[in-house]
């Protein structure tokens, strides 16, 4: 930092900058005086990256040999410095050409930039981060070239993102909590190439709310169709990973799913997702009537009791608009046994389970990052992106407070209600 800048700071009563700030000021001042760009090819940051890496490699070689350059202690040591080898690496500051020092015996194994390494870890993180946000391989290449002046091949980008597949396998098989008060089961549809044909496949998600009121994606599974038999296999896998008991399973009205839940968690209550049921109902409705019908259906599931809800359903079905859409009556009647558990719960619990807002927020994000791709080449490619999307949302291990409007105070109220309604099944540690 220049003396003039220092005096100016003192006159203005500002604190002295930290050493990092001083170094930054010096670099900026140097760039200005020498007419250098800070960023881009040949920029000051790229030059500094090269200098720092080469200095670090030289120090590693000194440590390996055990003596400083030109030190007489190296005479007769059996090994010595032997020039340098050119190496090009991709960094966050751009592509840097390094002179990597070598030893005569060929025993030096640098760690800062390892043998065979062509990119630093920061580039991997950038690529994976961009991929997790839904950018295509072409988009990532263009972004790296424009922002970081780094030219990477599509194969390298795929190789970097494929490195998370082992992490995905470990995540898919990790141990789970013994009890989750609420588990949501849902699926999103994506296009995947299978044996030369592009098919619609269901990416199944299980999201649990633990006893602390936090949500966690328990796993992702891809199958051609969303069926009860497949969900049975998923639930058996969750149980094998330690999930011994669930109080409430919230799902859509898939035929056979309640029986599958009962086979795995006999004491669990199956609750139809009201939002799924409402959306299915609105598929029968003309676009101009949808807002009005949605508001009328809300009177049913917002009713204080099962009897009041049934009366609201009957009244709507007998109304002029209700008679226009008899299919809605059939849907609600068919799902009624899985709708009515909702009315036995107090308001605190209803807030948690009446909708899949917890899982819908995740699904919204995942649909957003998958829509840029026409289709995925494999199931693994789809799972990889969905996992990275969940990781970016921080719901793979670290968990969020459950749901909109259900802060920790509201959750603890609901937890006490759960303890009364399901005695002995929740154990806090």
């Amino acid at each position: 930092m220049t003396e003039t800048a220092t005096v100016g700071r003192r006159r203005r009563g500002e604190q002295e900058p930290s050493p990092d700030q001083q170094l930054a000021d010096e670099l900026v001042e140097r760039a200005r005086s020498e007419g250098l760009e800070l960023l881009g090819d040949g920029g000051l940051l790229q030059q500094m990256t090269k200098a720092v890496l080469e200095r670090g490699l030289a120090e590693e070689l000194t440590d390996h040999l055990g003596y400083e350059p030109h030190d007489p202690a190296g005479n007769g040591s059996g090994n010595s410095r032997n020039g340098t080898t050119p190496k090009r690496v991709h960094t966050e500051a751009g592509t840097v050409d390094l002179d990597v020092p070598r030893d005569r015996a060929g025993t030096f194994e640098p760690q800062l930039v390892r043998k065979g390494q062509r990119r630093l870890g920061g580039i991997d993180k950038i690529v994976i981060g961009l991929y997790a946000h839904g950018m295509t391989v072409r988009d990532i290449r263009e972004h790296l070239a424009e922002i970081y002046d780094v030219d990477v091949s599509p194969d390298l980008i795929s190789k970097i993102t494929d490195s998370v597949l082992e992490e995905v396998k470990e995540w898919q098989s990790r141990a789970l909590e013994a009890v989750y008060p609420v588990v949501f089961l849902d699926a999103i549809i994506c296009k995947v190439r299978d044996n030369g044909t592009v098919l619609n496949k269901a990416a199944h998600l299980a999201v649990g709310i633990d006893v602390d009121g936090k949500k966690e994606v328990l796993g992702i599974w891809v199958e051609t169709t969303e069926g009860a038999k497949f969900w049975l296999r998923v639930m058996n896998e969750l149980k094998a990973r330690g999930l011994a008991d669930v109080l409430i399973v919230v799902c859509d009205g898939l035929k056979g799913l309640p029986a599958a839940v009962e086979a795995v968690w006999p004491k669990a209550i199956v609750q139809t997702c009201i939002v799924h049921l409402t959306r299915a109902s609105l598929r029968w409705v003309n676009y101009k009537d949808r807002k009005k019908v949605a508001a009328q259906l809300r009177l049913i599931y917002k009713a204080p009791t099962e009897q009041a809800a049934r009366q609201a359903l009957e009244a709507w079905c007998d109304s002029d608009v209700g008679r226009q859409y008899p299919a809605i009556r059939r849907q609600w009647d068919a799902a009624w046994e899985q709708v009515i558990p909702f009315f036995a719960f107090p308001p605190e619990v209803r807030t948690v389970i009446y909708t899949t807002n917890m899982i819908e927020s995740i699904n919204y994000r995942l649909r957003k990052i998958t829509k840029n791709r026409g289709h995925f080449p494999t199931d693994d490619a789809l799972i990889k992106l969905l996992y990275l999307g969940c990781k970016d949302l921080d719901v793979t291990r670290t968990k969020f407070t459950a749901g909109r409007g259900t802060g920790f105070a509201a959750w603890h109220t609901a937890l006490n209600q759960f303890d009364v309604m399901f005695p002995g099944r929740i154990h806090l540690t």
Side-chain angles (χ1 to χ4, degrees):
M1 184 174 60
T2 63
E3 184 177 351
T4 302
T6 302
V7 172
R9 288 183 187 277
R10 289 173 179 171
R11 285 177 178 174
R12 294 191 298 269
E14 297 178 3
Q15 293 182 349
E16 289 297 320
S18 66
D20 288 342
Q21 291 173 319
Q22 292 180 17
L23 177 59
D25 289 342
E26 291 171 3
L27 291 175
V28 172
E29 188 66 29
R30 176 184 165 188
R32 287 174 177 170
S33 63
E34 297 180 6
L36 293 175
E37 294 290 338
L38 280 174
L39 305 175
D41 189 25
L44 184 60
L45 184 58
Q46 194 178 76
Q47 293 182 25
M48 292 299 297
T49 300
K50 172 181 170 66
V52 169
L53 290 175
E54 290 181 347
R55 176 64 181 272
L57 290 167
E59 291 295 332
E60 284 190 9
L61 180 57
T62 295
D63 184 66
H64 174 71
L65 295 175
Y67 62 90
E68 297 289 338
H70 313 297
D71 189 336
N75 296 333
S77 66
N79 198 5
S80 61
R81 290 169 174 81
N82 188 32
T84 61
T85 300
K87 184 183 186 74
R88 174 168 289 184
V89 294
H90 300 311
T91 75
E92 293 169 272
T95 299
V96 175
D97 290 316
L98 299 176
D99 292 320
V100 180
R102 63 192 180 200
D103 64 330
R104 192 166 297 279
T107 56
F108 176 47
E109 296 286 345
Q111 297 302 308
L112 184 59
V113 182
R114 297 182 302 277
K115 289 182 178 180
Q117 185 176 1
R118 291 292 179 264
R119 63 190 185 278
L120 299 190
I123 287 293
D124 287 18
K125 292 180 181 178
I126 291 171
V127 169
I128 290 174
L130 295 175
Y131 193 85
H133 280 77
M135 292 181 68
T136 64
V137 171
R138 174 183 289 183
D139 292 337
I140 294 173
R141 286 193 71 193
E142 293 176 353
H143 180 84
L144 292 177
E146 180 180 353
I147 304 300
Y148 299 100
D149 195 31
V150 172
D151 183 20
V152 296
S153 67
D155 288 342
L156 178 58
I157 294 174
S158 297
K159 183 179 179 181
I160 293 172
T161 56
D162 282 346
S163 66
V164 304
L165 287 175
E166 286 301 317
E167 183 181 329
V168 171
K169 291 179 182 178
E170 293 178 6
W171 175 72
Q172 289 277 62
S173 60
R174 74 193 187 280
L176 301 175
E177 302 287 341
V179 177
Y180 285 83
V182 185
V183 168
F184 297 89
L185 304 179
D186 200 6
I188 63 173
I189 304 300
C190 300
K191 294 184 180 297
V192 183
R193 181 172 293 277
D194 192 339
N195 293 325
T197 303
V198 176
L199 304 175
N200 285 330
K201 290 196 174 184
H204 301 71
L205 275 77
V207 178
I209 302 182
D210 68 8
V211 294
D212 293 323
K214 299 177 182 179
K215 67 182 178 183
E216 175 186 4
V217 176
L218 307 180
I220 303 170
W221 302 265
V222 173
E223 183 69 12
T224 305
T225 58
E226 182 184 10
K229 288 184 178 180
F230 182 78
W231 274 122
L232 177 62
R233 195 181 88 195
V234 167
M235 289 184 285
N236 280 325
E237 179 181 319
L238 295 175
K239 189 172 184 178
R241 288 165 53 193
L243 207 176
D245 191 17
V246 179
L247 307 185
I248 303 170
V249 177
V250 183
C251 54
D252 60 17
L254 190 64
K255 185 177 180 181
L257 190 52
V261 172
E262 184 179 359
V264 181
W265 299 302
K267 296 181 180 180
I269 292 176
V270 179
Q271 171 64 53
T272 290
C273 171
I274 301 299
V275 169
H276 273 84
L277 183 58
T278 302
R279 286 177 181 169
S281 299
L282 293 178
R283 292 193 185 105
W284 299 95
V285 179
N286 290 329
Y287 182 79
K288 64 182 180 64
D289 291 333
R290 285 190 177 182
K291 286 187 177 180
K292 178 173 63 176
V293 172
Q296 293 169 342
L297 293 178
R298 191 176 298 115
L299 297 176
I300 301 172
Y301 62 80
K302 287 289 186 179
T305 64
E306 176 191 347
Q307 182 178 2
R310 190 71 204 186
Q311 290 173 350
L313 176 61
E314 296 290 346
W316 180 81
C317 292
D318 289 339
S319 66
D320 291 340
V321 67
R323 284 193 289 269
Q324 293 181 49
Y325 306 110
I328 295 179
R329 168 74 180 260
R330 292 195 298 272
Q331 281 193 316
W332 281 77
D333 283 343
W336 195 251
E337 288 302 314
Q338 279 71 54
V339 171
I340 57 177
F342 174 79
F343 299 107
F345 297 122
E348 297 83 6
V349 177
R350 290 191 191 189
T351 304
V352 177
I353 68 168
Y354 97 97
T355 177
T356 53
N357 271 350
M358 272 72 75
I359 198 168
E360 284 296 327
S361 63
I362 297 173
N363 284 350
Y364 172 79
R365 164 67 178 168
L366 298 184
R367 289 189 183 99
K368 185 176 180 180
I369 65 175
T370 57
K371 71 178 182 180
N372 291 336
R373 291 165 171 78
H375 66 273
F376 293 86
T378 63
D379 290 355
D380 281 346
L382 173 57
I383 292 176
K384 176 178 64 176
L385 179 61
L386 295 178
Y387 167 75
L388 288 173
C390 290
K391 188 175 182 180
D392 191 54
L393 283 169
D394 206 20
V395 288
T396 54
R397 295 293 287 184
T398 307
K399 313 157 198 173
F400 282 140
T401 304
R404 181 176 59 186
T406 55
F408 281 112
W411 171 256
H412 282 96
T413 302
L415 190 64
N416 280 275
Q417 293 283 354
F418 282 136
D419 188 54
V420 173
M421 301 176 70
F422 306 97
R425 292 172 63 185
I426 296 179
H427 304 283
L428 302 182
T429 56

